[in-house]
Amino acid sequence: MNMEHEEKALKIYFIPYLAPGHMIPLCDIATLFASRHQNVTIITTPCNGQILSKSIPLNQNLRLHTVPFPSQEVGLPDGMESLSAATNPDNLVKIYQGTTLLRPPIEHFIEQNPPDC
């Protein structure tokens, strides 16, 4: 008896830290997983999502999900969502504070859409 076994694609989430040195390699790994027919979602902020969408091959296996960056809550101008965008040490601290505030909306998304791993 010849039975073909078709494996179900995994649903995998990647959450890169908001710095190019973290986003680039993690997105490379996410792209590799997606090229192996896994369902990959990169969770990031809107401005970082715009940058990533220009440099990674988004398709049915590789998607972006964005969560709003809490600019107002930490005292940053809209659009300053990455450590590379910081213009002074105070902004670096505020971006770090903003990253800690991303946890609840990311957790909510994951609870509503549980990944396989």
Side-chain angles (χ1 to χ4, degrees), residues 32-112:
L32 180 62
F33 273 75
S35 73
R36 301 293 191 267
H37 307 290
Q38 303 307 311
N39 295 317
V40 176
T41 300
I42 299 170
I43 302 172
T44 191
T45 60
C47 286
N48 289 304
Q50 288 177 352
I51 293 166
L52 294 176
S53 68
K54 295 175 186 175
S55 60
I56 60 174
L58 297 175
N59 56 51
Q60 67 184 27
N61 293 322
L62 182 59
R63 300 174 223 42
L64 290 176
H65 175 78
T66 60
V67 292
F69 188 80
S71 300
Q72 303 293 314
E73 292 88 339
V74 296
L76 286 170
D78 288 338
M80 190 175 287
E81 301 175 3
S82 173
L83 293 178
S84 64
T87 55
N88 59 54
D90 289 337
N91 286 345
L92 284 172
V93 171
K94 291 175 183 179
I95 291 170
Y96 172 77
Q97 291 170 335
T99 63
T100 64
L101 296 175
L102 291 173
R103 184 175 179 162
I106 291 172
E107 284 179 344
H108 178 74
F109 173 75
I110 292 172
E111 288 169 359
Q112 297 300 311

Side-chain angles (χ1 to χ4, degrees), residues 8-28:
K8 179 184 173 210
L10 293 174
K11 185 189 327 180
I12 305 168
Y13 296 154
F14 287 88
I15 308 169
Y17 192 70
L18 304 180
H22 293 255
M23 286 190 286
I24 293 168
L26 197 66
C27 289
D28 287 344

